[in-house]
Every structure is written in structure tokens, then in C-alpha cells.
Amino acid sequence: MTTLQYLGISVRFIIVLCSPQHSDQPETWQVKGIVGTFLSFPERVLKSGNLLYGDLGNIAQVYPGKQSNTNLEKRFKNRLHWNNVTGVFTLSDLQIDDSGVYTVENADAEEKMTHAFQLTVYYVLSKPQVTVHDNISCSVVCSVENGREVTLSWYRGGEILNQISSPDHITLSLPLKVDEQNRDSYRCEAANPVSKETAVVPNSCIESDPSKVTDGDATTQGSLIAVICVLVASGLVGLAICLKKRRNGQQHEDSPERKQDDIQYAEITHIKPAGNQEERTGIPELDPLRNNPNLTLVYYTLQLHHMAASKDVNTT
């Protein structure tokens, strides 16, 4: 297999060593094209010649006097051109179904020369997508839209871990369980003969595993736990204070002083003396208490007990 640079285009061809017997089959060169771009066949026709395509036969002609007809086939109309200076046929706006064998017949010399080109047209690959299948084990799946000769591979550094290529699937998918110790070295690569795209393991998989915590994350978690502990301790202290205050309040309600406040005093009713009895107006020794505003209650309490003992008052 040999690579040839001609007019800026790399083509690969096979050199076959054979017997001196002459072969009527032209040598075939492998050329590749990309959808939407153009390809120039690396064989010049300056005076007279033809371009043939597969079973369709002649699709372009060159006449003496630098004249040409490149619209012989409807499917190539306005896409196939011949340059009268360089003598090169060019096919533009390549499509997948443009793949096939193109043969350039050059009649410039006395002996006609024929060169065949096997054209294969490819799509440029889209970037593969890596999605997290299981956060705990960090299992991921890499997927890409399938196409002609597409290969999907998982790499760790320069080592291929897994690979898949199948023309029978619309989408290629390849799972992988990521090793924490080498997570930064993983990459998923989609490739075909004309393009290559890569993707890496998303951070969501790495950060979701509790065992995969960096030093910064550990410090943050430690600070958060400390704050929570302080808040809980403060709440417990506050609760203890509230309970103590409530208990003290209940003891105050049950105290003798509180019960003294609940004493109900009976209304004093004087009994008028009968006949020659003198009205008892009080106890001379308690008169100073009666005139003192702060001791009035004490005065009337003692007066009540004194009168009750004398049976001169009705306390009912």
C-alpha cells in the first residue's frame, strides 16, 4: 500500500508485482471524499478523453480545442466540471451515493491511457456523547451516530479498553466502568477514515460517588457538620432553660405566698348591742393599725378574729 500526493490530494494505491503479460484492467487507486465537499481526480486530460462512472459509462467528455461536456448524466449535472487549464475532472457537493469506481480515459497520446479510482464518500462524525448510567459505581455509556466504517472505542491513556464497529446499528453504544484512580485518563473516541471525535467522562459521575471526595470537599463537609452541631447544642440549651423557667413558675404557683393571695375574706357584719350593752367598736390596742393605710388589711383581719372570739359578729 503506497500513498501518493498529487495536486494536494492524498490517494492510496496498491502496487501489484505481476508477470510481464499485459493486463487490460486499469490500476485502481483508492480515494476518499467527505459529504458536502469536492474531489478532483488526480489524472489530467488536456486534449481529448472521457470520465466514466461504474455501469453508467461515460459521464463527461473532452474534445480537441479544449471543449467539454460534463452534463451527460442528470445526477451529476452542475456538479461535475473539467478545468481546461489543469485538465482535471472535479466532482463537487459529494454525496454518499457518489461512491463507486470512476475511470479517466486519456487520449492525448497516440496510445489511450486509463486510470481507475475507487471513491468512497464518508460523513464527518459528530462528537460522541458520554452519559452516566450508574452514579455510585460510575458506570458510563458512550454513544455516537453510526455510519460507514465508524468505530467507537474506549481508551485509558494509549490503551484500548473496548471497541465496537457494526454496520447493522443506527447508533453505536459502548459501556464502561470508570476506575477512580485513573478517571482523568479515560476518553471515548469515534472515528472513521476521514474524521475523529473524542469525549471524556463527565464530572457528574466523579463527584456523585461519596468515596470520591477531594480534600477541599472534606474540609467543607467538616465545617458544615461543626455548624450543625453548634446549632443543635444551642437548641438543647434553650429548651433546657425554657423547661426550667416553666418548672419554677409552677413551684411559685404552689407556694404559701401564692396561696395567701387566694384567701377570700368574709364581709364583716356588726351586731348591734341589745339593751344596755355597749357597742364594741374595736380594740383600743389596734387603733393605730386602722389609721395606717399599709396595715389596714392586718387591722381588719385581727379585728375579725377578735369579734369572732367574742361571738359578736356573723362571719357566714
Side-chain angles (χ1 to χ4, degrees):
M1 181 73 71
T2 305
T3 302
L4 174 67
Q5 285 286 131
Y6 188 83
L7 296 178
I9 300 175
S10 296
V11 296
R12 281 190 268 182
F13 60 94
I14 301 174
I15 299 177
V16 181
L17 297 179
C18 56
S19 63
Q21 296 179 353
H22 178 72
S23 175
D24 294 334
Q25 294 295 327
E27 186 178 17
T28 301
W29 294 359
Q30 301 292 328
V31 293
K32 298 176 177 61
I34 301 174
V35 171
T37 64
F38 67 90
L39 175 73
S40 296
F41 296 98
E43 178 62 32
R44 297 192 298 174
V45 177
L46 296 175
K47 296 179 181 179
S48 177
N50 302 289
L51 179 64
L52 298 83
Y53 173 67
D55 296 336
L56 292 179
N58 199 359
I59 59 174
Q61 291 180 336
V62 176
Y63 308 103
K66 297 184 180 298
Q67 300 295 320
S68 67
N69 184 359
T70 57
N71 291 322
L72 298 178
E73 179 62 34
K74 183 177 180 181
R75 61 177 292 185
F76 296 112
K77 186 176 182 178
N78 298 326
R79 294 198 299 129
L80 184 59
H81 310 280
W82 174 75
N83 190 310
N84 58 10
V85 176
T86 63
V88 173
F89 290 103
T90 299
L91 181 60
S92 62
D93 192 20
L94 290 175
Q95 305 298 319
I96 287 292
D97 57 3
D98 289 337
S99 300
V101 178
Y102 293 80
T103 303
V104 177
E105 292 181 344
N106 189 345
D108 292 343
E110 292 182 359
E111 183 179 354
K112 182 186 295 185
M113 299 181 63
T114 302
H115 296 84
F117 302 91
Q118 174 67 56
L119 171 63
T120 306
V121 182
Y122 301 87
Y123 284 107
V124 173
L125 290 175
S126 58
K127 188 178 182 66
Q129 301 295 317
V130 178
T131 55
V132 178
H133 179 68
D134 186 350
N135 281 327
I136 298 177
S137 63
C138 199
S139 297
V140 296
V141 177
C142 183
S143 303
V144 71
E145 184 179 355
N146 199 10
R148 175 173 287 165
E149 298 180 40
V150 176
T151 300
L152 188 64
S153 309
W154 270 112
Y155 286 85
R156 183 174 59 194
E159 177 188 4
I160 297 180
L161 302 177
N162 205 352
Q163 191 175 75
I164 185 173
S165 180
S166 174
D168 301 327
H169 297 83
I170 299 176
T171 302
L172 294 179
S173 297
L174 200 59
L176 179 71
K177 184 177 180 180
V178 176
D179 179 13
E180 162 64 15
Q181 300 300 325
N182 302 286
R183 67 177 184 266
D184 295 332
S185 62
Y186 290 96
R187 74 180 189 278
C188 179
E189 180 180 285
N192 67 6
V194 298
S195 63
K196 180 172 64 177
E197 293 289 342
T198 61
V200 297
V201 177
N203 291 331
S204 58
C205 175
I206 299 169
E207 295 173 354
S208 62
D209 193 337
S211 64
K212 304 171 184 178
V213 180
T214 62
D215 294 339
D217 294 334
T219 301
T220 301
Q221 290 183 1
S223 301
L224 182 59
I225 292 173
V227 171
I228 293 175
C229 290
V230 170
L231 293 176
V232 171
S234 300
L236 292 176
V237 171
L239 179 61
I241 293 174
C242 291
L243 292 176
K244 185 176 181 181
K245 288 183 176 181
R246 181 176 296 178
R247 189 180 301 111
N248 291 339
Q250 290 177 351
Q251 292 177 355
H252 177 71
E253 291 177 357
D254 297 336
S255 64
E257 291 81 0
R258 178 63 180 173
K259 292 180 178 179
Q260 183 65 30
D261 294 339
D262 294 337
I263 295 176
Q264 295 183 357
Y265 297 96
E267 182 179 357
I268 298 174
T269 303
H270 291 277
I271 301 177
K272 293 182 179 182
N276 58 353
Q277 292 182 351
E278 293 181 359
E279 181 180 0
R280 296 181 182 180
T281 59
I283 303 172
E285 290 82 4
L286 299 180
D287 288 341
L289 299 178
R290 181 177 55 184
N291 299 324
N292 190 333
N294 296 325
L295 301 177
T296 303
L297 179 61
V298 177
Y299 168 78
Y300 281 109
T301 301
L302 295 176
Q303 181 74 9
L304 175 64
H305 284 287
H306 177 74
M307 296 177 66
S310 302
K311 298 183 181 181
D312 291 340
V313 63
N314 183 10
T315 59
T316 59

